DNA sequence: CATGAATGAGACTTCATTCAT
DNA sequence: AATGAATGAAGTCTCATTCAT
């Protein structure tokens, strides 16, 4: 009974989060009502509130997910021993971002923007964002360190500073992609190559 | 009578926008109620609605302002004839951003984040954002073109692609500044220099 | 303008309290919904909430009123110089209670019972009840003191103790009147006379 | 099987009533949710509903219990042949009340107040209250009759009227005890003695 | 014109009760 | 018989907007 229940709970949980995410992608956190989520999830109000104590909690869950999605990539990339230049790391990241964005079910990166805005006056989300993005930036710092070891990048500079710049390109790319719609990993990498050279 | 009225109207208008901006900086667009704006502006409900037909219209006005603020800088920079490297342009922009952010009355860049999120499902704001950011990016493209003319940057690459990257650094810097709080124009420029070299 | 407004506000306030009291008399605090009060008052939800921040606050207002109603009587009674025996004071009080109870608009004493119950786990109402009933009991103590001065009642006994007993008869009378419906000031005074003699 | 089951059922029944009573003492009938009772009883929702068809039915059961608790005393008192003055009967009753109130598990007299309020618009509880309190008052009438037989009290007065007054003192005492907290059987009896003399 | 009290649709959330397992 | 997840009606409260004064 416990195993069935746990799986069941997880399934329901995901059912709700997915529904809520779909809503948030289309309408943003604030225009999304609990009634929307309830309808979209196919459950009842009581059921949804059995899994999330409040709209805030549900929003945090979606935000968490959206802010985490870029991160996963690095596990694979950094593990390998092959040389990883900053340019290559960035290009891989951008391609990963686009892959995520184009997954069926809607562009989750739109939710990331919502989360950034929300973090300005929602401590829970601000905390999540800080945590996730610190982690991500540390991974860029690791890439920077490798480049410094290779002699490709000036070893005197704090790798965290280099990571700041590398990291910055991700939201910058995302924003242009969503707002202006004319950037692709390819155009971006091309521009980047020209500048770095 | 008309002239006095026009000045009066402008003053009132600004009074409302300032009040609304102060609210949006602290609480975001959605937590800010018209009652908040009315109280903060010191006017009456009727008065506020005399200047803005709806909350949406008021929000658009604040968003517009927040999205424009970075732009102004370039008027001055590009006008001069002295050589302007991408690095120098970026550094100047970042410093300008921080200057704006630290102005008394609250950090307007927080409102820019709100505007990005809002643009995802608000056509008016999406339009404003596209317009303002296209303009800004064109200016970065102009800088890129100058660098290509100087031979500093590969002339074969579409300057718009280079502008995409340069532009990306601004929201990327902003986001880290607001979320993580540990980037400054100096650290950022240092990292950037290391990468570009 | 201020005077009109104040009167207006008071009128609206009373309109709401009256409506809420009518509901509470019939259905009690808890079965009474804000929708009931809103309908009964003839106002809108927003209007009602403009006068009372919450249902709790409205309930406290009604409770306050119900707990105060017995008190008024004493102003007149104690002012006069004529001798006032405990028996006479009680009889007058009971008659006053019945008069209040039979006023058109419903029996307010039913609300007093609600308030007693509510005071058990509502600090605001507990506070009001303590305040009002302390006051009332002090007035009975004053009556006791006069009787002691007259030599009618043993002067050695703390008049507050005597007041406790006198006071007790009021809720005891009220409860029987509402629950059993067979007590009147006359039967009660008759029984009281027999005991006191 | 039947006998075991009956005992089992009774035990379960009491388990539920005790849990519900504990909740009602602390929070009152209305703030107490079935979920509270279910949690406090340690049973499941289904189990509780196996014993009580509805919350109303459960509330009635608790109210019944609370309204009965004073009554028990008289069985013993009246049975004896020793003279029983009204004062002595009252004093014994008050002491019994306090004893009940101070029993571990919470002050049940708080629930009696709830029941009075509830009786105003709940026919089931009103019926119970009428029944229990009529019974109790009849016992006071019996005491009055004995006093009249002794010549202590005017025999011309309807003993029911005397009972009304005696009975009234119980809720009056209870209310002051719960609300003001400064009455004890001793202070009360002292005041009563002073008045009766 | 300005005011700000009033409107009322609609948001979030709770909770008594049921019923598939 | 027992469980407890699920139901969904109904409750409280907010807030953008209007309009009589």
């Amino acid at each position: 009974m416990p195993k069935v229940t746990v799986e069941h709970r997880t399934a329901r949980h995901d059912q709700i989060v997915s529904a809520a995410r779909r809503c948030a992608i289309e309408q943003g956190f604030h225009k999304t009502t609990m009634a929307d989520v309830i309808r979209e999830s196919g459950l009842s109000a009581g059921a949804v509130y059995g899994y999330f104590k409040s709209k805030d909690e549900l929003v945090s869950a979606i935000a968490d997910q959206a802010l985490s999605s870029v991160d996963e990539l690095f596990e694979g990339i950094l593990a390998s021993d092959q040389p990883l230049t900053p340019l290559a790391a960035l290009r891989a990241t951008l391609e990963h971002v686009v892959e995520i964005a184009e997954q069926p079910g809607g562009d989750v990166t739109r939710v990331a923007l919502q989360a950034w805005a929300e973090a300005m006056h929602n401590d829970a989300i601000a905390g999540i964002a800080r945590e996730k993005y610190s982690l991500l930036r540390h991974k860029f710092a690791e890439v920077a360190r490798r480049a410094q070891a290779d002699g490709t990048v000036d070893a005197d500079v704090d790798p965290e500073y280099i990571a700041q710049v590398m990291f910055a390109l991700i939201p910058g790319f995302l924003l242009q992609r969503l707002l202006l719609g004319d950037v692709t990993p390819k155009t971006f990498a091309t521009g980047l190559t020209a500048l770095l050279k």
Side-chain angles (χ1 to χ4, degrees), chain A:
Chain A
M1 195 209 286
K3 196 166 188 185
V4 175
T5 295
V6 165
E7 282 171 10
H8 186 253
R9 276 198 75 81
T10 308
R12 281 273 187 271
H13 180 101
D14 290 355
Q15 188 178 351
I16 295 165
V17 171
S18 296
R21 188 180 48 223
R22 252 170 288 146
C23 293
I25 287 171
E26 274 195 36
Q27 335 183 46
F29 292 152
H30 293 282
K31 273 200 69 183
T32 297
T33 68
M34 286 307 279
D36 290 337
V37 175
I38 288 157
R39 189 187 323 106
E40 187 77 13
S41 71
L43 296 175
S44 67
V48 170
Y49 276 89
Y51 289 85
F52 295 93
K53 281 207 292 278
S54 65
K55 184 181 176 181
D56 253 34
E57 206 170 83
L58 181 51
V59 163
S60 289
I62 310 165
D64 187 322
Q65 209 185 49
L67 294 172
S68 310
S69 49
V70 182
D71 213 45
E72 308 149 10
L73 166 79
F74 274 82
E75 310 300 333
I77 293 187
L78 286 175
S80 110
D81 262 350
Q82 51 188 318
L84 182 66
T85 66
L87 185 61
L90 280 166
R91 178 144 199 180
T93 309
L94 298 179
E95 270 157 4
H96 184 60
V97 164
V98 170
E99 198 180 326
I100 289 170
E102 290 178 344
Q103 240 151 31
D107 186 342
V108 203
T109 64
R110 294 163 62 102
V111 178
L113 291 218
Q114 307 292 325
W116 301 344
E118 203 64 9
M120 294 296 103
H121 39 262
N122 177 323
D123 288 344
I125 294 187
I128 296 170
R130 262 193 295 276
E131 186 196 335
K132 302 289 181 188
Y133 282 176
S134 294
L135 216 66
L136 181 54
R137 218 176 57 184
H138 281 318
K139 289 177 181 162
F140 277 119
E142 178 56 28
V143 175
R145 247 174 248 113
R146 291 198 192 177
Q148 290 177 317
D150 286 358
T152 325
V153 168
D154 182 351
D156 289 344
V157 173
D158 186 335
E160 284 295 337
Y161 295 170
I162 299 169
Q164 287 176 0
V165 177
M166 296 177 69
F167 177 91
L169 291 167
I170 313 302
F173 172 81
L174 220 67
L175 189 66
Q176 288 179 80
R177 185 178 176 278
L178 290 171
L179 234 42
L180 305 175
D182 57 2
V183 291
T184 65
K186 198 172 170 189
T187 64
F188 206 82
T190 305
L192 193 51
T193 311
L195 273 176
L196 295 193
K197 199 161 47 188

